[in-house]
Amino acid sequence: MNRITWQIRVKQLINALLAAFLIYGVYYAIVYIYHEESGLNDKFLRSVMTTVELHESGLVVDKRGLSSVEVTPFLTQKKTLKVYRDVGEWQVIVGELHAKKRLWGELTYSIEERGHYLNGDERNPFYLHSALLEGGKITDSLHQNGAMNQLEKLEDGNVAEIFFSLRTLKSPEQVLKLLSDYDVKVTSMAVFAGELKDFKLSTYSSSGADYMIPHLTLRPMVQFSDNHFLSAWHTFFSLDAGITDHVQQLIADVEWMTDNIKYNGVDEDKLRLAYLKKNGVQVYGATVTGPVRELEKLKEESEFWGFRLGRIEVWNWS
């Protein structure tokens, strides 16, 4: 009798486990289909690309293979994507992006960089001098030649990425005009949006009169449809094509980002947006790429200073 009772209980337990597994499978399928069909996954991907590319200096999210967002049973969305930099005409993978968003929670992400050097840091390569905050001009004594000395020692058959800061705040179009005589491509620009002037940031570093601050990045235009589906993106800026559309897209992106995403720093970005709408878009640094001999010529431009050398690759340039 006890044996029969035990067998019945084991069978009931197995049936209960199978029923629970079936219910879980149906529940998870409904959750996944809902996130796909409702556009929540596309909105999540748009949030990730916009937030990362507007806050990281020239890092680009790989926009291929954007399907298959992981959705956990607790409705947390997760995605791992490659990030790269444009060096010459190579798209050089420099790390892996891990992003997640809990239901009703903040979007968070981390980037595992594949750095070549233990002390390498390309995440915040621009200098904002106090003279720019006061409307002054940077003196020649502050010009840094370390990166140029490195470039001189590189052979001709290489391309590289270089970052430089500006002595005065300029419009993006003015920067492109200054670079129009050089065989280089501009991949991003550091936007000044009132930081340390109209409002104080919670985190920044300084060395004397130079500040290294979090900033918005003017990127080549990325476009989404009304349902958040990625429709088109550009790789470089072009003076011939004009910069106005890229600048207007930056304002639209920051507005969408601050209205639709919860993330660390959203309150500061709202202040940045208000400043940009009132004062327009000015930049204090840029990232460019091209042949090393052509990059070396940039030291002749009096408006550029604070050069920092980024990635170096073998020749790949049209």
Side-chain angles (χ1 to χ4, degrees), residues 87 116-117 151 154 158-161 292 309-314:
V87 185
H116 291 309
Y117 314 105
L151 280 177
L154 293 176
N158 289 286
V159 292
E161 171 193 45
V292 293
L309 185 61
R311 299 286 173 138
I312 305 164
E313 296 291 335
V314 297

Side-chain angles (χ1 to χ4, degrees), residues 44 222 294:
F44 171 69
V222 179
E294 205 67 20

